[in-house]
Amino acid sequence: MSLKPSWTDPSGKETLKLVVSRCIPQWTNGLHEYQVGPISMVLNKEHVLLFTGTGSGKAALFFVPLIVHQELNQYPDNYPPLPAQSNAIAIVVTPTKGLANSIIYDIERFGLRGLSYCHETITEYRTKKKQDLIQLICDCRSWDLICVDPKHLASPEWRRIIQNEKFVQHLVLFAIDEAHLIRRWSPNFRPAFGDIGAVARGFLPKNIPIIALTATCSPGRDTAELCQSLGLVSNDYHLIWHSNERENMHIILDVTKHTSGIPKYSQLLKYLHSGRKVLIHVQTIPTAYDIYEFLFNHLPDGVSPLQRMRMYHALCTDAYNRETFRLMDSDPMLQVIIATIGFLAGINCMQLLDSIFWKFPSSIDDFVQGGGRGGRDPNVMCRSIAIISPNELKAAQEFIQPSTAITCVPKAKKKPTSTSTDLPMEEGKALFIIEPHCHTACVNRNYQNPPLETSVLDCKEAGRKVYCKLCATRYNISYTFDTPLSQHSPPSWLPLLVKSSKSKQKWQSATYLGKKERESMRIWLIDFQKLVWSQFHLMDSSFYNDPVQRFFSAAIINEILDKFLIIDSLDSLISLLYRHSWKFIEQKSDSLFRLLTDFQSFIRTEREELKTKRSVKTTSKQRMPREQGRSRAVISELEEAESEEIESDDNEAGDDPTPAVPPKPNVQPSRPRPCPTRKSQPNTVADWSATYGPQRRKRNW
């Protein structure tokens, strides 16, 4: 009696490769060898935990089995008698709606139908289509793959779905994408993540394979916690570990240096000038808007900021975020996406090349996940960049080596700021930040990427194609990061506009405005800005949606204020305006120069008047002490002369030399009369002087 053929047998694996080559012609090289084994296990209804790098094709584990089931049911005579399910359906648990939309967008290219079960979809079917969405799912005819978030998975509606006999009969797999987030998000951020395993093991039959997919889960404790959460015990699942190292990635850790007059986000521009498509990760939505505004001011003339840049965060509508995701691959002019954490989890954009983190994320997992959003084409070199502050570097050093911290006298505790946090720094993050030798080797050590004999060596010793920044600097290797020939190169960004120095200028300066003068002239220039806007914003349809600041930018205003007193000709003013690509030079430069000249004359006149007033005041103060001294001398001479005259008159009047005025008795000064309102009075002259003062007059009570 022969055994039934299995998908894990050599014949089953060959059949799998054959189906993929026929049904997915886009994959010219077919399946990777590290994909064949796990997919065969899933088709054989075995639990699988697959840890592999971003962009390595993890999603094939849940949509390739659907294609195989459809192919074998449609053409059973062309293949061996392997087990296959008609109307096969799969459940994929996704942490974010963005990831669900990305998965559905991908599988549609292979002829599969997907549904994102979220609030918007539920509302659409309930109010607009007037259809029972739960019944449609249970019929297993409308969709092949259903994405659901953990919160809806634990709802009563989904209890009805996964307990429906027809649905369970056609269900071929239960997958959890980005499974590392179960461990990180379940305790506090998203408690429903901790219930995924309970739902899967408590309500699904044992023959439904559970698949956990992630690129960032360290071996040991993290893996054990993940298995425990999913209810998987030893010998009950296959743990497949594949290296998450990206061979085409250049890792950069860039520490910011604050320089007076240089904008905060200036370091972003040096990574954008090449025109490569880039994703900028931020931690908060306000930071996303700040960066958008900064880049807005550095766009060249004639470039639409709405087409060149887009944001991706929770305040944007789902339709807008889906459009952003689509345009990154289809619109050649869209270069920059500024995104929050929602873009970290599994978003797949083939045209993205660089990934920039503004501040290091909360964990090394997020850094690896975010870096994996770019460079999906292995033939193109990509960059994963983290721009951190010196304070982040110092905090990492103190976390790893607290004994080296300088001890000092304890100071009074400061009130915590809004950005402070009580959460300790993750060890993997701290080790990466202070890594002095090789960042790629540091990532490999954290995830124990095989083979350890070479993965923990530096880039040169390991023979890597692309070195990290530390190794490239040490071995004097440089790379050029240009836009690939397959992508359109958009116009470059404007050079960095340096802010004026905040140092206090003296009022006597012949080349700089004082603080009050500068603020006064700024008000005038802003009024001029409004004047230009009022005259030109309706003359051309391309100006309709431009804000007032686009007609006379803050950068032009700041440079004019910096050089206000040294702009001595119309040509010098025009050259300044040309540097900023001002659109209205021909129409308004003459009037601007005339007004500027009038205000220069006004300021110089005011300065001369103020200087004259101050000199007169200083002269009068210098004369006063001399006049007072002279008057005292005259008074003392007159008193001496009077006393001599009195003396001589008395001597002539009689022989008795006794003065006419009797001497004062040698007695102590009398105490002041007691104040009826005071409870206690001074007892001595010293106490009285200290209380009432030596020059206080005697009071009449």
Side-chain angles (χ1 to χ4, degrees):
M1 181 178 179
S2 60
L3 297 176
K4 292 183 179 180
S6 171
W7 285 103
T8 55
D9 294 337
S11 61
K13 293 180 179 180
E14 290 300 323
T15 303
L16 171 62
K17 294 178 182 179
L18 181 60
V19 171
V20 170
S21 63
R22 289 180 177 178
C23 299
I24 311 179
Q26 304 95 309
W27 294 358
T28 56
N29 297 324
L31 289 172
H32 298 290
E33 287 299 325
Y34 61 82
Q35 294 175 311
V36 174
I39 295 176
S40 300
M41 296 173 187
V42 173
L43 289 169
N44 213 38
K45 299 183 178 182
E46 300 174 11
H47 305 313
V48 176
L49 269 67
L50 176 63
F51 302 153
T52 185
T54 56
S56 59
K58 297 187 299 296
L61 265 72
F62 53 73
F63 70 79
V64 168
L66 295 174
I67 295 175
V68 171
H69 283 292
Q70 290 181 359
E71 177 70 8
L72 265 65
N73 276 281
Q74 189 172 2
Y75 306 102
D77 297 336
N78 296 340
Y79 303 98
L82 291 163
Q85 177 64 53
S86 61
N87 295 333
I89 192 168
I91 298 175
V92 180
V93 182
T94 56
T96 62
K97 290 184 290 186
L99 177 55
N101 294 329
S102 177
I103 291 173
I104 293 172
Y105 177 80
D106 286 338
I107 66 172
E108 287 176 351
R109 294 181 296 174
F110 306 123
L112 297 175
R113 302 161 299 172
L115 171 72
S116 175
Y117 189 93
C118 59
H119 177 73
E120 288 75 16
T121 306
I122 298 171
T123 303
E124 180 183 1
Y125 275 86
R126 184 176 297 169
T127 59
K128 296 181 180 180
K129 297 185 176 182
K130 306 294 184 180
Q131 292 179 314
D132 188 353
L133 181 59
I134 306 300
Q135 188 60 44
L136 289 175
I137 294 174
C138 293
D139 288 341
C140 302
R141 295 182 180 275
S142 301
W143 303 284
D144 305 307
L145 184 145
I146 301 175
C147 294
V148 59
D149 60 89
K151 184 176 180 180
H152 282 102
L153 181 66
S155 65
E157 290 78 10
W158 264 90
R159 299 285 177 87
R160 288 172 50 198
I161 294 173
I162 59 180
Q163 289 178 336
N164 184 279
E165 294 183 1
K166 185 177 181 180
F167 179 82
V168 173
Q169 180 185 354
H170 294 278
L171 184 64
V172 295
L173 62 92
F174 180 90
I176 305 102
D177 204 3
E178 305 301 333
H180 67 282
L181 295 178
I182 294 177
R183 178 180 56 88
R184 291 192 53 214
W185 287 6
S186 59
N188 300 313
F189 181 50
R190 299 280 179 86
F193 272 64
D195 300 331
I196 297 175
V199 173
R201 301 297 281 179
F203 294 93
L204 294 178
K206 293 184 178 180
N207 63 341
I208 302 299
I210 297 175
I211 311 169
L213 307 172
T214 181
T216 52
C217 187
S218 303
R221 183 186 65 181
D222 295 347
T223 303
E225 290 179 356
L226 175 59
C227 295
Q228 182 180 4
S229 176
L230 294 177
L232 300 177
V233 296
S234 57
N235 301 324
D236 189 27
Y237 62 93
H238 297 277
L239 175 60
I240 303 174
W241 191 268
H242 187 263
S243 175
N244 65 4
E245 180 181 338
R246 297 286 299 279
E247 296 182 355
N248 63 333
M249 180 175 290
H250 181 61
I251 301 177
I252 301 173
L253 185 67
D254 196 352
V255 182
T256 60
K257 294 180 181 180
H258 175 71
T259 304
S260 179
I262 302 298
K264 179 179 179 181
Y265 303 106
S266 59
Q267 285 179 266
L268 292 172
L269 288 178
K270 67 180 181 181
Y271 300 112
L272 302 182
H273 280 303
S274 62
R276 293 159 60 93
K277 289 183 179 289
V278 61
L279 174 62
I280 301 176
H281 300 274
V282 297
Q283 298 181 4
T284 62
I285 295 177
T287 304
Y289 281 99
D290 288 345
I291 293 177
Y292 188 92
E293 181 181 2
F294 168 77
L295 297 179
F296 188 103
N297 295 328
H298 288 79
L299 282 172
D301 188 28
V303 176
S304 171
L306 300 179
Q307 187 179 14
R308 189 69 174 275
M309 305 180 296
R310 291 176 75 92
M311 288 187 286
Y312 185 103
H313 52 71
L315 295 184
C316 301
T317 63
D318 289 340
Y320 184 88
N321 285 336
R322 286 194 296 269
E323 184 71 5
T324 299
F325 170 73
R326 185 187 65 81
L327 290 175
M328 178 51 74
D329 281 340
S330 61
D331 187 356
M333 292 301 297
L334 177 59
Q335 182 193 356
V336 179
I337 293 180
I338 307 168
T340 53
I341 191 173
F343 216 99
L344 286 175
I347 301 296
N348 182 23
C349 288
M350 298 301 296
Q351 298 296 318
L352 274 174
L353 296 179
D354 297 334
S355 181
I356 303 176
F357 286 87
W358 182 258
K359 294 186 178 181
F360 203 91
S362 59
S363 68
I364 187 68
D365 291 350
D366 288 345
F367 179 75
V368 174
Q369 286 281 346
R373 299 309 109 213
R376 294 302 179 101
D377 185 354
N379 299 319
V380 179
M381 188 160 46
C382 62
R383 290 181 291 185
S384 181
I385 305 156
I387 302 176
I388 67 171
S389 66
N391 289 336
E392 289 183 272
L393 178 60
K394 181 180 178 182
Q397 291 171 342
E398 292 178 349
F399 178 83
I400 298 300
Q401 298 174 339
S403 59
T404 60
I406 301 175
T407 57
C408 58
V409 179
K411 297 180 180 180
K413 293 184 179 179
K414 296 181 180 180
K415 293 182 178 180
T417 60
S418 58
T419 59
S420 63
T421 177
D422 296 332
L423 296 176
M425 181 177 290
E426 190 205 39
E427 184 178 4
K429 168 184 174 178
L431 289 172
F432 181 89
I433 291 176
I434 68 170
E435 171 63 37
H437 195 59
C438 177
H439 279 131
T440 305
C442 180
V443 173
N444 290 338
R445 283 195 302 269
N446 185 79
Y447 296 108
Q448 297 291 295
N449 284 331
L452 290 176
E453 294 79 13
T454 58
S455 66
V456 296
L457 300 177
D458 73 359
C459 295
K460 183 178 182 180
E461 294 170 345
R464 298 187 180 99
K465 296 179 181 179
V466 180
Y467 290 10
C468 70
K469 181 64 174 178
L470 290 176
C471 293
T473 303
R474 184 167 58 255
Y475 294 113
N476 196 23
I477 296 176
S478 60
Y479 298 105
T480 56
F481 296 93
D482 299 325
T483 305
L485 297 177
S486 60
Q487 294 186 10
H488 171 74
S489 180
S492 181
W493 299 79
L494 292 176
L496 180 64
L497 303 179
V498 180
K499 295 181 179 180
S500 60
S501 175
K502 295 184 179 180
S503 58
K504 190 175 182 180
Q505 302 292 342
K506 296 183 179 180
W507 68 274
Q508 294 93 342
S509 174
T511 56
Y512 293 100
L513 294 174
K515 184 176 180 181
K516 292 183 179 179
E517 293 172 343
R518 188 181 180 93
E519 294 303 319
S520 177
M521 294 301 102
R522 183 183 294 276
I523 295 173
W524 162 66
L525 290 173
I526 291 176
D527 290 339
F528 179 79
Q529 178 190 75
K530 296 177 181 178
L531 174 65
V532 176
W533 171 80
S534 64
Q535 293 181 0
F536 293 100
H537 83 285
L538 293 177
M539 296 180 62
D540 191 340
S541 60
S542 61
F543 297 154
Y544 286 174
N545 297 322
D546 285 357
V548 180
Q549 292 77 9
R550 294 285 287 180
F551 290 82
F552 197 65
S553 66
I556 300 177
I557 293 176
N558 288 331
E559 188 166 357
I560 290 178
L561 292 174
D562 292 340
K563 302 177 180 179
F564 197 91
L565 299 176
I566 59 177
I567 299 175
D568 54 358
S569 65
L570 178 61
D571 292 337
S572 61
L573 176 62
I574 291 176
S575 63
L576 183 151
L577 298 174
Y578 265 119
R579 286 198 298 273
H580 295 272
S581 303
W582 196 42
K583 301 177 182 179
F584 313 103
I585 294 178
E586 295 182 1
Q587 299 93 331
K588 303 300 293 183
S589 59
D590 289 337
S591 59
L592 176 61
F593 180 72
R594 287 197 302 269
L595 291 171
L596 180 63
T597 305
D598 292 342
F599 277 105
Q600 286 175 345
S601 176
F602 170 74
I603 288 175
R604 292 189 177 102
T605 303
E606 271 200 338
R607 287 186 175 186
E608 289 296 328
E609 293 178 355
L610 183 59
K611 186 176 181 181
T612 303
K613 290 181 181 179
R614 291 191 175 186
S615 61
V616 171
K617 189 174 181 179
T618 302
T619 304
S620 62
K621 287 182 178 180
Q622 291 175 352
R623 289 179 178 177
M624 187 176 297
R626 292 199 296 270
E627 297 295 337
Q628 290 176 351
R630 193 176 301 163
S631 61
R632 289 198 206 91
V634 172
I635 293 172
S636 61
E637 290 177 359
L638 292 174
E639 288 179 350
E640 290 179 0
E642 289 178 358
S643 62
E644 290 177 357
E645 290 178 1
I646 292 173
E647 231 176 85
S648 60
D649 292 342
D650 291 341
N651 290 335
E652 290 176 0
D655 297 336
D656 191 2
T658 307
V661 181
K664 294 181 180 180
N666 187 14
V667 296
Q668 296 289 340
S670 59
R671 297 180 182 178
R673 296 176 62 183
C675 175
T677 60
R678 294 181 179 271
K679 296 181 180 180
S680 61
Q681 297 296 327
N683 296 322
T684 63
V685 176
D687 295 338
W688 177 83
S689 299
T691 304
Y692 296 98
Q695 297 179 352
R696 189 181 294 273
R697 294 183 179 180
K698 186 176 181 181
R699 299 184 182 184
N700 297 321
W701 303 102

